[in-house]
Amino acid sequence: MAKKKNHSGLELILLLNSTLRQLNNKLAREIETEQNDITVEQLSLLIALLNKEGISQQDLGEYVDKDRPSITRLLDNMEKNSLVVRVTFEMDRRVRLIYLTKKGKELQTRLFKTAETTVKRAIKNVNTELLSNFVSVAEMI
């Protein structure tokens, strides 16, 4: 029986980072194959807006773990491509709420399916119990 290796915290971080980068690269290739003018980073905002439409720009940045300049740049590009609109909040004119346009919602639906398919393909050989354990651990962190 093979001895299980204990991984250091740093090794775990590197492994998770590598795994995420590989999944992002696969997803970027799938999105490019479908000839969409959107990046994986922008897709993360579309996915976040799936259940959080009307969220403030600041809260959206916190939700997807992006700093203010990055969120502004991503939303600027998405607004130029008519995927989102930013609406000034009546109660506080400094706050801008993010909403998907019709085009953004259509793209969101299509790309969400692409993302789901890509992830399912990537984990198809992973034991469901191991995957469930991984998700449990990830949610605790």
Side-chain angles (χ1 to χ4, degrees):
M1 181 173 186
K3 185 177 179 182
K4 289 185 179 181
K5 180 181 178 187
N6 290 327
H7 294 283
S8 70
L10 182 56
E11 288 174 317
L12 180 61
I13 290 169
L14 293 172
L15 181 60
L16 289 171
N17 188 40
S18 173
T19 303
L20 180 59
R21 191 174 51 254
Q22 289 176 48
L23 271 174
N24 275 336
N25 289 340
K26 285 179 183 191
L27 186 54
R29 284 192 301 275
E30 290 293 327
I31 290 171
E32 187 178 288
T33 299
E34 292 183 12
Q35 298 179 345
N36 295 298
D37 274 344
I38 191 166
T39 66
V40 172
E41 284 183 308
Q42 291 171 339
L43 176 61
S44 71
L45 297 186
L46 286 178
I47 291 170
L49 290 168
L50 190 63
N51 295 315
K52 299 211 177 261
E53 191 169 25
I55 190 172
S56 73
Q57 187 168 323
Q58 180 178 341
D59 289 344
L60 180 61
E62 289 173 11
Y63 184 71
V64 296
D65 197 27
K66 299 278 182 202
D67 61 27
R68 184 175 291 191
S70 296
I71 283 293
T72 299
R73 177 183 47 80
L74 289 166
L75 289 173
D76 285 347
N77 289 329
M78 292 173 76
E79 202 167 32
K80 284 178 195 170
N81 289 328
S82 302
L83 299 175
V84 298
V85 292
R86 290 183 264 201
V87 178
T88 302
F89 184 49
E90 290 179 17
M91 306 292 259
D92 184 347
R93 304 214 32 89
R94 297 168 296 176
V95 176
R96 298 177 77 191
L97 305 178
I98 312 304
Y99 292 92
L100 290 169
T101 62
K102 182 180 179 190
K103 180 180 176 183
K105 287 178 183 178
E106 290 168 355
L107 185 62
Q108 179 190 55
T109 300
R110 194 170 69 246
L111 291 180
F112 185 74
K113 289 177 185 173
T114 300
E116 284 286 305
T117 301
T118 301
V119 171
K120 282 180 182 177
R121 246 188 266 132
I123 63 172
K124 71 179 180 217
N125 294 321
V126 177
N127 175 296
T128 54
E129 185 179 348
L130 286 175
L131 186 59
S132 178
N133 289 339
F134 171 77
V135 170
S136 295
V137 170
E139 288 174 341
M140 287 191 287
I141 295 177

